[in-house]
Amino acid sequence: MAAPLPKCLTFWQLIPLGVGSTIGAGVYVLIGTVAREKAGPALPLSFLIAGVAAGLAALCYAELASRCPSAGSAYHYAYTTVGEVVAWLIGWALILEYSVGGAAVARGISPNLATALGGADNVPFILARLPIPGTTMVLDPCAALMVALVTALLSAGIKESANFQLGMTVANVIILVFVAVAGAWIGFTHGWPGYKDSPSYLPFGVSGLLGGAAMAFFSYIGFDTVASTAEEVKHPQRDLPLGIGLSLTCCGALYMVLAAVLVGLTPFDRIDPDTPMAQAFHTYHLHWAKYLVTGGALAALSTTLLGSLLPQPRILMVMARDGLLPGWFGRIDKGTGVPLNATAVTGLLAAGMAFVLDIGQLSGMVSQASL
């Protein structure tokens, strides 16, 4: 039987891991789409409803992870409860979801990097996107490089990965809190025009509110990354439920505050669905906010990329333990305590897809894997 992963994670390392994996670039974009098309000024309520639904799912993950502290996450739960065949299918669906999801996140780094540098022309040639003549293919070396760097970090050890996640998550949360505080100050000084100019609090009715909650649920996905580290947690029965629950609570509170500020600054039908936060500040002639929001998006993409690539090697390792994959995938490096072979395969697969496929193709594959 393969050696178990070393137990080195504590409760305080699980919270930034969960928050960083959950608060991705979606909050910088999705929040505007939900407000404009579904919820209107009731956007905070949509995020509250979605948070309650995500919390119920998180409680299930927390109980299963604490009772079965294995690195296999949903694959291991299925293997334990319904058998090998269903678990094999779920395992491959998770592998597709995590690897393709990581590649999709990596493809979003180049546009934000270009914005931070003042335009695509300022991106270094070695990192610039390269269209292939005669095809619709656009190669993205920056995305592949980011996947390679995160893979190298994951290969160094789980504590090193958790510390990096902590730093980037703190930076992202600080930016979001600053955006919320600055936005609230503008709102109070200008009388919250977004609420005043809206025809009603529920312009799309209850169906719009619930439809917005369904869209907003995507912003809460990520707590399963914490469950995938169950085998590496020192006290899983205590720390896993707390880590999953508190990280999701922090995300929900931050989402609702940002949502309330955004729809208060700008009438919902004038919110830019692509760059809602930057556009809201631009309306009040605070152009520096574009760079602040872009920095937050880059930090969010980095933490989400790590959160996407972290679970897959552990799922491959557990499947190898159960005899569903060659034992080569289950080998653990004695120095780092990481399944290096599975991590390397994950990185190569995700980097290749990020280099070649565009975000539309990758997002479609992620949806199929999730379903």
Side-chain angles (χ1 to χ4, degrees):
M1 182 177 177
L5 294 171
K7 293 183 177 295
C8 53
L9 293 180
T10 64
F11 160 71
W12 296 108
Q13 291 167 311
L14 294 178
I15 294 179
L17 191 63
V19 172
S21 300
T22 303
I23 299 183
V27 69
Y28 292 92
V29 179
L30 186 65
I31 195 171
T33 303
V34 176
R36 187 182 178 96
E37 300 179 2
K38 298 289 184 181
L43 180 64
L45 285 182
S46 287
F47 273 98
L48 175 61
I49 295 170
V52 171
L56 296 175
L59 287 175
C60 296
Y61 264 88
E63 181 173 359
L64 289 168
S66 60
R67 287 179 177 269
C68 308
S70 169
S73 186
Y75 159 79
H76 181 71
Y77 311 149
Y79 190 92
T80 304
T81 56
V82 295
E84 191 174 86
V85 175
V86 176
W88 186 83
L89 294 173
I90 291 176
W92 281 107
L94 290 172
I95 290 169
L96 179 62
E97 177 183 357
Y98 287 130
S99 58
V100 177
V105 169
R107 288 289 292 206
I109 292 175
S110 292
N112 285 279
L113 180 63
T115 301
L117 296 177
D121 295 336
N122 296 326
V123 177
F125 174 77
I126 194 172
L127 299 177
R129 288 185 170 181
L130 179 64
I132 302 300
T135 69
T136 59
M137 184 182 299
V138 179
L139 303 181
D140 193 339
C142 180
L145 177 62
M146 280 301 300
V147 173
L149 291 175
V150 171
T151 302
L153 177 64
L154 291 172
S155 301
I158 186 63
K159 289 191 70 174
E160 290 75 10
S161 302
N163 291 335
F164 172 82
Q165 190 83 333
L166 172 62
M168 297 303 289
T169 299
V170 168
N172 185 26
V173 170
I174 288 175
I175 290 173
L176 290 175
V177 170
F178 181 81
V179 167
V181 172
W185 178 78
I186 296 171
F188 282 115
T189 56
H190 289 78
W192 298 105
Y195 292 116
K196 286 184 178 179
D197 298 341
S198 297
S200 70
Y201 190 70
L202 288 171
F204 301 100
V206 176
S207 61
L209 175 68
L210 297 178
M215 291 181 66
F217 184 84
F218 173 79
S219 298
Y220 288 95
I221 295 175
F223 53 81
D224 55 320
T225 300
V226 178
S228 71
T229 64
E231 192 172 314
E232 296 156 283
V233 178
K234 290 182 179 179
H235 306 288
Q237 281 73 25
R238 181 195 68 187
D239 292 348
L240 281 170
L242 287 174
I244 293 174
L246 287 179
S247 62
L248 200 63
T249 301
C250 293
C251 294
L254 193 55
Y255 285 157
M256 285 186 284
V257 170
L258 288 169
V261 169
L262 178 65
V263 295
L265 292 179
T266 308
F268 73 92
D269 55 344
R270 288 182 238 159
I271 293 176
D272 187 346
D274 296 321
T275 56
M277 294 185 191
Q279 180 259 351
F281 283 95
H282 182 78
T283 303
Y284 296 92
H285 308 291
L286 299 176
H287 307 295
W288 51 265
K290 177 179 72 172
Y291 300 100
L292 184 68
V293 172
T294 300
L298 286 171
L301 286 166
S302 300
T303 57
T304 306
L305 178 58
L306 189 146
S308 296
L309 297 181
L310 174 66
Q312 182 178 330
R314 285 148 181 80
I315 293 173
L316 291 171
M317 178 195 68
V318 175
M319 291 178 71
R321 285 181 185 171
D322 295 334
L324 300 182
L325 286 176
W328 182 82
F329 287 97
R331 294 177 186 171
I332 299 174
D333 182 76
K334 294 181 179 180
T336 62
V338 171
L340 280 183
N341 296 338
T343 302
V345 170
T346 297
L348 287 172
L349 181 62
M353 289 188 293
F355 185 60
V356 174
L357 301 178
D358 61 41
I359 189 68
Q361 295 168 319
L362 292 168
S363 60
M365 294 168 66
V366 171
S367 298
Q368 293 175 19
S370 300
L371 292 174

